[in-house]
Amino acid sequence: MRTGFLTIYWRDMLRFVRFRTLLFASLVQPALWLAFFGIAMSNNFERLTSTLPVDPNARTVGYLTFIGAGVIAMTTLFTSLFGGTVLLFDKNWGLMRETLSSPIPRIHVIIGIGLSGMTKSFIQAAVIMGFGLLLGVQFFEGYTPMQIVYSLIGIMVFVGTFSLGFLFLSAAIAITMESPEGMQAVITLLTMPFFFTSNALYPVNSFPPVLRALSIINPLTHLVSGIRYFAIGNDFSAIGIRYIYAPGEVFISYLALLAFAGIMFLIARWRFSKVTVT
C-alpha cells in the first residue's frame, strides 16, 4: 500500500471536478477579485502616488501588478486552509472510519489530501496569472521564453510548498473538530491575521514594530516575496517604494516555507495517530 495516498488524492480530485459549481466558483472568484478589487484599488493608489518621484534606476510597475502576486497568495491561503474540510465531512459521514480501518497507513491520508490541495492551488494560480495578464498585469515583462519557464517553475514551487503547509494545518484542525461550523470559525480566525500582517496588499515598511515582526515570520509574506521575485523581477518600484530581492533572501524565504510545511506535517501526523473515529 505504498501508493495508497494516490487513492486519496484521486478521490478528492474527482470530487473537485465533478462538483461543477465548486469548480467554477473556485476558479472564477479569485479572478473576479483581481478584476474588481485590484482595478479599483489600482486606480486609487496610482492617483495618490502620481506625485511621488519616480526612481530612474528601477522599473516601475502599477499597483495592479503589485497586488497580482498578493491575490495568488491570498487564494492559495484560503484554498489550503479550507482544504481539510473534506476530512471533517468524511468523519461525520462515516467515511473516515472506513478509511482508517483499511490497510492504507494514516500518513497516506495526510499526503493524499495535501497533494490534491496543492494541485488545486496550481490550477488557481495559473488561472489568476492568465487572467491577470489579460487585465494588464505586468508579469514576466521583458523575459525570454526560458526565463518565463524558469519563473513559472519557481512560482509553483513556492505555491506548492506554502499550500502543503497550510493543508497539513487544516487537516490537523479538521480531524480534531466535530462540526463544520466550529472549523469554519477557527479557520476564519486564522485567516485574517495571516492575510493582514503580510505584504499581499500593501508594503510592510510602515507597519508598527510589532506588526512588522509578525510579518517577517508570516509564511504568506515569504510566499508573496517569492512570487514577486519570479513574476516581476528582483528590482522594481511600486507605489513609490523600491523593492530589491536578492536571490539569497528569496532562498531563505523558501526555506522558511519548507520549515513551516515540515512542522505542520509533523503536527498533522501526530493528530492522526491519536484520533479515534467511531
Side-chain angles (χ1 to χ4, degrees), residues 61-82:
V61 299
Y63 182 71
L64 187 62
T65 302
F66 181 83
I67 199 180
V71 172
I72 296 174
M74 176 199 71
T75 305
T76 305
L77 173 67
F78 292 170
T79 301
S80 302
L81 273 177
F82 281 97

Side-chain angles (χ1 to χ4, degrees), residues 163-202:
S163 176
L164 282 177
F166 279 93
L167 280 161
F168 294 148
L169 173 60
S170 179
I173 296 172
I175 206 65
T176 304
M177 303 298 294
E178 296 297 333
S179 68
E181 294 81 8
M183 182 172 180
Q184 185 175 7
V186 172
I187 290 176
T188 303
L189 183 64
L190 289 174
T191 300
M192 293 302 103
F194 277 114
F195 185 53
F196 288 111
T197 60
S198 74
N199 58 349
L201 299 182
Y202 33 68

